[in-house]
Structure formats: structure tokens, C-alpha cells
């Protein structure tokens, strides 16, 4: 059963240095508040898993929290590059970053296999691509009925998955809606699950398109209003496109980035 | 009216969607073109985004493929695994519309890494995203990118996404179900695979562009198709619709 | 794009003798009206696919419409046996019935593979069971990453899938909710899709838990109010448990069954 | 108060759920027992039905696993593929609760066909349903069925669902993750696998039943455990709750 905890306690209790951590949310509901708390707590040596690393992992990578990234598209959506990600990959700053790189279809199916507790998933993917040459988690299987060869991808089972949702009830049942992405799969694939929410409510009234994660699949719920900013929570906040655009300049320069993190994230810890 | 070269590119990319019923829309330039097509020639066009939206009808160009309006205006929103497995992989989508960093003469695409030469680290691009499976599974594929020798290269540094592989028959040998790229729309013109060789050849130039300009901006000896056409100038309707869409989303 | 047609025209146009037909609905939203129309039109030699054959297939089998049944649980839920199914299997009346028999997990995954246009699906299933000895659509694959042997089941891709839904709009977009079962997968796995609905509405207002099948995935929509009876359509009708109980006596006896079908189903064709 | 032998069976089946957090509920007798447990000893018990409901809280016993009330009262409703893949197969469920037609001494189950002897066609049972994977993946399994030599047989005519296979170590060799059947509750008593041999032995009889009756109603030489217990009679609370649940669903 989920415990309702402060974000600080939830991160301290569930996210440890060296963990494989998935923080999902496909553009929508990205758990920035939790990432900032992880940065403040100096969690390190993480294997970060996420289809679209986005600004959230640019920040974690730039602060040196990650040793490895598992992903499928590492850009600033609609803006351009993730400069901290590039700097880590190209120049090893602030530390080298190992990569395991997939397509979206491959990553999505890796989570599906993880949530289903299967060791792998099958897809029609990667054919003719150079991607398999750089990854140890892409292989092939042969259909026992037709003889067709298909791609196989290894399951992802994070130590901990962190997501942001619109709300939870007092028992810790979690509800999210809008673009639901791959969050259900990421949560069900993990050993531990931390959910930040916009608010706690008495009753989760059914909502169109909503996904419910029952309390018994979640370890901790922490209230973090606007906890997806600059991403958003449909029905609560809107995407701060201006922030995403301004991130390009902030993140281009190492010093500007560190200054920004110091002023906007670490400050909160003092 | 006057127009920019990017507008020329987008207008022609939108026109290339004529007759399509469903389009899997990549981030960036493809999204602008697909939305313009829905606003002009193909009002019934079903836009599908990898964020899980089926039938999005945004009134403005989304900055990202996950903007709220894409979900709010969709006929259905499904999970990301579902969009890739039940919708894309199943071969339900007529056209896949992709951007690209590097494209070679067989319309193969690199969006992963670029070789910066000896002693320098590889340059990092965003990565594959949905592209390998979009290009594999859609009925056909359109590519849109700016025309330069940096983008249109003799040899890819990395094959992220297969277009026509190493030429005729490649797609069949690889087991790629869709027809692959049928047009590469740039700010200078349009290249299409030669029916015999599958090599991209210049079939159209935009008004005010010469074939020599396009050849000079291409990293391989670009063949010019017999009967080279000049694309129609953007109409007032097209430009007005495009500019209205772009309002409020400066970088889409 | 879906055409809105009469049930008679839709069945005549989409369901042909010799077809493989899936009529899904897990207890809820079972397309009885369409089955009755198929019986009236004397569609025959069908391969019928359904996780739970239920009374709907008991009727089709008893009327001799099927040559083969692909299924996972063939009882009258909460009541007992399906007597027409048993009579066909045990005594070949009114004609022999070939079986391809699975577990629920296997059948569900066969539909998933079909909807994904993969030739097979992988699951942890059938271990130690005698079921694989009687089916040509159960095999094994080995995980290329861990070496673990898992069950593989062949995809189901029906010629036509028939489902019942609460409603459609005038463009033929279909909406269903409540227990949504395996209908989306069954529909997306098929070459042709026929949907009966309680009603056609101007707008499909979003509903909690609703699945939408866009018009371009459906071939025909036919209005059939109460078309799931004795099953039900949440929000429109309730399950007629009394009918399911009374079916036991009706279906036990061949003549009583034929009389009932004549009076209650074939009558409608005259 | 007086009670029927079916009530005795159901009350004891409900008691066997003590300590469980989540239960995958089979159709029929298991549903009655699981709902009774939720009404008595385990009010927090999460009921999961293969029709796709997580956390159903019906006020009456459903006739079928797809009754509307199961969905209306659930914490979440998911698709049938999802309930089997993400929830059951993933090993999230503490207890699987199953009925059965034939059970052998190692608690293997047949619900497929019965052999009626030479020259006669096989008798048809409903089939596997969810049972093979429920018994494989749940933390442990409870079986409930009426006690007779017809139901509790020396040798199954068909193995639909594996309990303890051919004895100790079988489940591990087959790669079945859960612990398998821990109790078979009947209208005469309770059998549990012997810790050494995995063979079902009589550990409890219900009030008014003798071990000899149970042995006579079993198709193999049923061992009686040392320290055979007599189950507690149904309490008034249990019977009242069970009868209230049963109202309006006569055959559940």
C-alpha cells in the first residue's frame, strides 16, 4: 500500500545511488519536482531510463547524477539539442555517460515486457538499422509458426520508477489522464514506485481516459503541486513552452547551467 | 505575397499529402506540413502522433508532440506502447512524415551520430525516436529537410532508419512492409526515387530555384529527372493558413 | 471509413460462409443480434473464435453454422454447461465441431499479436498442461537474452470481427465502455469489422473508461438496440441472468432448442 | 443456526483467505468465498476478476464474472489482455482461487475432458479459462470443490492446470513461479499438501463429518494428517453475510 509522504522522505526512502531509475511522462506529466529533489539529495551513479530524456535528464546528467542513459530520442522537443546530454556524451562532462540507445517502439516494448514480467518483447523493428550494433539489448527471435525473424528487446525492470500524476486519494490510489504515455508500464515494471501528484483528494471520481494505479502497486505518493513544470499536468497546468525555449541558452554553457541549477534547484535545499 | 524558403518547403510538403487518409506525424517540420494539409487540401486527414493521439485537430502548431491540445482535440488517446504496436506496426497508417539530419541517395536516414573526423568525438544527434518503425510500417514515407551538402550526404555516418537500403529490392529483402520514401521535400525542390534505381533524383524545383543550385547543395551527384517541373508558388490560401497555424508556436 | 448500414445489409456484406469470425465481448456487450442475423442468413462453415463461447456460440453451433471453434472457456457462466456445444463435440450433432483450445491468457495474447500484426505472442503459460498436445497454435520460444523457454501462441487474424458497442457517431466512430474485454484487439486483428450499437449520436462525449474505435478502422456500423441481450450494454441495459438460467433447459434438448430458435430467431426473417 | 454443506464449504473457503491482500477470483464457488471473506475477515481484500476488474466490491454475488456491478464498483477496469499480462502473469496477486471438475492427489486440475470409457466419446468440460496461468502465477492457490470420488480422482483424464505436478520439485522444474495449491476446501473438510510428499492429505474435517467419510469420498487412498482438526462451525456473522450476498444471485 502506498504511503503518503513528503517528497523529501519519499526520495530518500526509495531512490538510492546506483539505482536504475525510470522517470516517465511523454512530454506530459514529467516528474521534474522529484528529479530536483534527487539532485538536492545528491543521488548519483544512476542508470537513467526514459524514452525522451528531455530537459529533466539534461539536468540530472549535467549535475553528474548519471553513469548511463537508456533512451530513444534525446532532444529538446521543438527546440533543438539537449546540450548537457551532448556535452556528457561528446566530452565526458561532468562525467562520461554510457548509452543504450533504442527506437521508441523498442523502448515502449521493453517497458511492456517489464510490466508483464517477461524477459523480452517481440516487435517488427530495427530492420536494416545500425542501432542493434551498438546495443546489447536488441536481438532476434524466430516465429515458431511462420519462421519469420523478428526483433527481440530485453525487458526493462527499473529499481524505481518515478512518475507525476494529477491526483491520488488518501489511500494512495493514483489517477492520471491526458497523454498517459508509458507510465503504467514503467510503474508496473519497477521494484519500487514513487508518484508525485498535484493534489490529494477524498475520492477519485472517474475521468475520461484516466489510468488508475491501485495503491497496492505504489510505494509512496508525495504532493508536489506544479511538480511537472516546465512540463504540465492536463487539467491543472499548461506546458511552459517558453521555458523549454529558454533552456537552450541556459544549457549551452556549463557555467550558466550550474548557476541556474544552483539558483533554481539547489537553493531549495538550503 | 512573398514567402520564405521554409514556407515553400512546408507548403510543398503539405501538398505531398494529397490523397492520404492517415498520417503518422514526426516532430518539427512534418507537423507543420501535416497540419497545413489538414487546413487546406485534406481536411479529413487523420493526424497520428507518437505521443498516443489518434485524429488530433490542433488549431495552432504544437511546439512538441506532447502538447495538451493534441490530446484535447483527438478522437482517441492511447498509450505509447499501443500507438506503436496496434496502430503503427499493424500497418494501418498511409503516410509516415519524417524530418531528418542526414539523408543519403537511397533516402536512408541518420538521426543518431555524425562523424566529425579523426581525433574528434562523434557528434551527437537526438536519436531514432519513432523513425525506424515509422519508415518501415507506413504505406509510404515523406521526408522533409533543408537542402544542403551537410544534410544530403554521399554516405551516412550511421543508418538510423532505412529508406531504400542499398537500392532496388532492399526493402523486400529486409522485410520492410511499406513502400518506403516516395519524396524528399526540401527548401529547394523535391527529390523522388528513380523508379529503376531507387536513387533520389531531382524531379521538381521551387519557383526561383535552379536545378544547378539543388545539385550544388547535394552531397552526391544528384541526377535531374527528365521533364523537371517547377512547383506551383504557394497560394494565398496556403500561406495564410500556414501563418495562422504558426502563430503562438514560433519554433514548431 | 465505416458505413452506417442496416444489420441485414452489414451481415450480408461482411460475413461470408467459410469465414473465420470473432464475436467478442467478455460477458458484457456480446453481439447476439448480429449472431441471430447470421443464423437467419444461413451463414455456414464458420470458424468461430471467442474466448468464452457463451450462449451466443451455443446457438450458432446448435444451428450448424460452425465447423470449428477456437476458444478458452466453454460454459454457461454461473449456470453450467453449454449443451449445444457439448452435443456437437461429443456426438457431432448437428455436425462435427473441430476444436482449437487455449487458456484465457493464451487467447488474449493471440488477439494482441493479431492486432499488432505480429505472427505470434509470448507468454508464461501452459507450463505442464496437456493443452499444447491438442493444439497446433501453441509452441515455445527461447529468450535470446536469458535462455528461458516461454510459450508462444499463434496470432489470430479473423476475416471478420463482430462486436457490440454502446454508441457510434454519424461518421461511424465507435465508443464502448464498462468491461471492454478484448474487443479492441479482436477488431484491430480482423480484415473486416462490423459493429452493432445501441444508438447513433451526434457527438461521442468522452466517457470514463471508454475505448474509441475510429471510423477508419470499422467497415460497418448497424443500429441494434438491446442487441447484446441476454448479455448487456453498461449504461443501456442490464444482464438478463434469468435468460442465462433458462437457457439450460432450452438447450438441453435438441428439439426444444430448434423450436426456440425457430420461434425467437428465424421468425424474424419471415 | 443450521447450515448446508455448501455453506460449510464456502465459509471455510473464505476463512482460507485470511491474510491475503489480493485475490484472483475464479467463477462460481471461489467468487462466493472471496466475497464472503471481504464481508467478514478481510474487508480490505482486493478482488480481481479475469473480466478485467481490479478491486471489485459487489454487494451481491455476481452470477458471472462479467456482471456490471463488478465493473461499477471496481477501483479500475482494464482490458482482458492487460489483466492477464500486467497483473496476473507479473506475479502481483497473492492468492488464486479456483474451482475444479477433477483434482488429483497432487492437486493438479482437469477442467477439459473426462474419459467415459471405451467406445464412448470423451465428455466435454468447459475448458481451461484462466486457470493454468492463475495457478502458475499467483503467490498461492486455493481450490474449492465438492468432495466425491468423481471429483477427487486417482488419475486425471487430462491435465488442464498444474498443481504440484508429480510431486516435490515439480513446480520448480516446470518454472512455475507461485507456491501452487496450499489447500483444497470441500464440503467435507480441508486437504493440504503434505510438506514432504506434496500429496494432498486430510488436515481438517467439518463439524459432523468423520475422516472415514472423506476417505471414502476420495479416489485415492487419502492420508489423514496427524492431529486432524475439526473446523469451527460457521458463525452467525458468517452465515448472515453469506446469505445476504447470495440474495438475488441463486446460482453464483
Amino acid at each position: 500500500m502506498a504511503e503518503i509522504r513528503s517528497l523529501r522522505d519519499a526520495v530518500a526512502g526509495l531512490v538510492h545511488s546506483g539505482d536504475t531509475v525510470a522517470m516517465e511522462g511523454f512530454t506530459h506529466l514529467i516528474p521534474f519536482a522529484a528529479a530536483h529533489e534527487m539532485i538536492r539529495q545528491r543521488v548519483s551513479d544512476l542508470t537513467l531510463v526514459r524514452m525522451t530524456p528531455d530537459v529533466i535528464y539534461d539536468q540530472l546528467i549535467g549535475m553528474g547524477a548519471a553513469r548511463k542513459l537508456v533512451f530513444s530520442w534525446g532532444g529538446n522537443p521543438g527546440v533543438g539539442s539537449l546540450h548537457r546530454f551532448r556535452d556528457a556524451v561528446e566530452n565526458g562532462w561532468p562525467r562520461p555517460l554510457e548509452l543504450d540507445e533504442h527506437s521508441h517502439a523498442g523502448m515502449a516494448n521493453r517497458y511492456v515486457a517489464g510490466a508483464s514480467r517477461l524477459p523480452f518483447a517481440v516487435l517488427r523493428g530495427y530492420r536494416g538499422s545500425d542501432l542493434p550494433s551498438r546495443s546489447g539489448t536488441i536481438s532476434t527471435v524466430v516465429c515458431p509458426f511462420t519462421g519469420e525473424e523478428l526483433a527481440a528487446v530485453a525487458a526493462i525492470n527499473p529499481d524505481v520508477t518515478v512518475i507525476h500524476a494529477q491526483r491520488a486519494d488518501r489511500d494512495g490510489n493514483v489517477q492520471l489522464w491526458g497523454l498517459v504515455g508509458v507510465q503504467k508500464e514503467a510503474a508496473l515494471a519497477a521494484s519500487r514506485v514513487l508518484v508525485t501528484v498535484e493534489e490529494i483528494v477524498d475520492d477519485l471520481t472517474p475521468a475520461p481516459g484516466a489510468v488508475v494505479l491501485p495503491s497496492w502497486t505504489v510505494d509512496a505518493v508525495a504532493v508536489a503541486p506544479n511538480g511537472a513544470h516546465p512540463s504540465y499536468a492536463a487539467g491543472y497546468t499548461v506546458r511552459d513552452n517558453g521555458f523549454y525555449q529558454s533552456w537552450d541558452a541556459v544549457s549551452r554553457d556549463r557555467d550558466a547551467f550550474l548557476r541556474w541549477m544552483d539558483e533554481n534547484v539547489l537553493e531549495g535545499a538550503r | 505575397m512573398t514567402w520564405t524558403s521554409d514556407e515553400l518547403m512546408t507548403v510543398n510538403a503539405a501538398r505531398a499529402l494529397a490523397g492520404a487518409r492517415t498520417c503518422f506525424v514526426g516532430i518539427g517540420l512534418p507537423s507543420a506540413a501535416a497540419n497545413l494539409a489538414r487546413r487546406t487540401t485534406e481536411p479529413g486527414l487523420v493526424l497520428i502522433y507518437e505521443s498516443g493521439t489518434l485524429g488530433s485537430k490542433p488549431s495552432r502548431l504544437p511546439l512538441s508532440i506532447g502538447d495538451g491540445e493534441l490530446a484535447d482535440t483527438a478522437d482517441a488517446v492511447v498509450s505509447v506502447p499501443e500507438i506503436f504496436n496496434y496502430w503503427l506496426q499493424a500497418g494501418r497508417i498511409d503516410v509516415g512524415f519524417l524530418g531528418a539530419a542526414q539523408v543519403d541517395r537511397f533516402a536512408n536516414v541518420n538521426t543518431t551520430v555524425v562523424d566529425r573526423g579523426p581525433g574528434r568525438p562523434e557528434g551527437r544527434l537526438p536519436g531514432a525516436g519513432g523513425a525506424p518503425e515509422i519508415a518501415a510500417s507506413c504505406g509510404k514515407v515523406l521526408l522533409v529537410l533543408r537542402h544542403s551538402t551537410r544534410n544530403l550526404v554521399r554516405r551516412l555516418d550511421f543508418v538510423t532508419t532505412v529508406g531504400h537500403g542499398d537500392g532496388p529490392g532492399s526493402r523486400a529483402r529486409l522485410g520492410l512492409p511499406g513502400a518506403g520514401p516516395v519524396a524528399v521535400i526540401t527548401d529547394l525542390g523535391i527529390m523522388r526515387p528513380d523508379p529503376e534505381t531507387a536513387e533520389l533524383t531531382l524531379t521538381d524545383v521551387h519557383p526561383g530555384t535552379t536545378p544547378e543550385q539543388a545539385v550544388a547543395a547535394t552531397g552526391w551527384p544528384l541526377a535531374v529527372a527528365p521533364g523537371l517541373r517547377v512547383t506551383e508558388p504557394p497560394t494565398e490560401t496556403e500561406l495564410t493558413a500556414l501563418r495562422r497555424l504558426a502563430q503562438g508556436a514560433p519554433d514548431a
Side-chain angles (χ1 to χ4, degrees), chain B residues 17 59 83 85 100 108 126 154 166 169 179 220:
Chain B
L17 281 165
S59 58
I83 203 84
N85 290 343
N108 303 302
R154 181 180 291 270
D166 50 17
W220 68 86

Side-chain angles (χ1 to χ4, degrees), chain A residues 122 141-150:
Chain A
V122 178
V141 286
V142 173
C143 172
F145 304 103
T146 64
E148 187 185 1
E149 185 178 279
L150 296 132

Side-chain angles (χ1 to χ4, degrees), chain A residues 4 12 22 59-60 90 107 146 187 201 211 229 235 246 251 254 260:
Chain A
I4 297 176
Q59 294 178 348
L60 280 157
E90 296 176 1
M107 280 294 284
T146 64
V201 296
V211 162
H229 180 270
S246 70
S251 61
R254 293 176 184 174
W260 191 94

Side-chain angles (χ1 to χ4, degrees), chain A residues 116-120 122-124 136-146 148 150 152-154 206-209:
Chain A
S116 308
R117 303 288 159 160
L118 288 174
F120 73 107
V122 178
L123 71 155
R124 231 181 225 110
T137 51
I138 306 173
S139 185
T140 57
V141 286
V142 173
C143 172
F145 304 103
T146 64
E148 187 185 1
L150 296 132
V153 287

Side-chain angles (χ1 to χ4, degrees), chain B residues 45-78:
Chain B
L45 184 66
V46 176
L47 304 185
I48 295 152
Y49 285 83
E50 64 198 15
S51 48
T53 63
L54 297 164
S56 289
K57 304 161 201 71
S59 58
R60 294 179 298 105
L61 281 184
L63 177 65
S64 92
I65 51 170
D67 278 15
E69 202 183 354
L70 295 179
D72 295 343
T73 62
D75 295 327
V77 177
V78 301

Side-chain angles (χ1 to χ4, degrees), chain A residues 25-28 51-52 104 108 177-183 209 232, chain B residues 23-26 46-57 64-88 93 130 134:
Chain A
F26 205 90
T27 310
H28 177 219
M51 293 180 66
T52 57
H104 277 349
W177 64 86
L179 296 169
V180 293
V182 73
Q183 283 97 306
Y232 69 108
Chain B
C23 179
F24 205 104
V25 187
V46 176
L47 304 185
I48 295 152
Y49 285 83
E50 64 198 15
S51 48
T53 63
L54 297 164
S56 289
K57 304 161 201 71
S64 92
I65 51 170
D67 278 15
E69 202 183 354
L70 295 179
D72 295 343
T73 62
D75 295 327
V77 177
V78 301
S79 74
V80 165
E82 184 180 322
I83 203 84
F84 281 102
N85 290 343
Y86 289 3
W87 299 86
L88 178 64
I93 320 292
I134 293 172

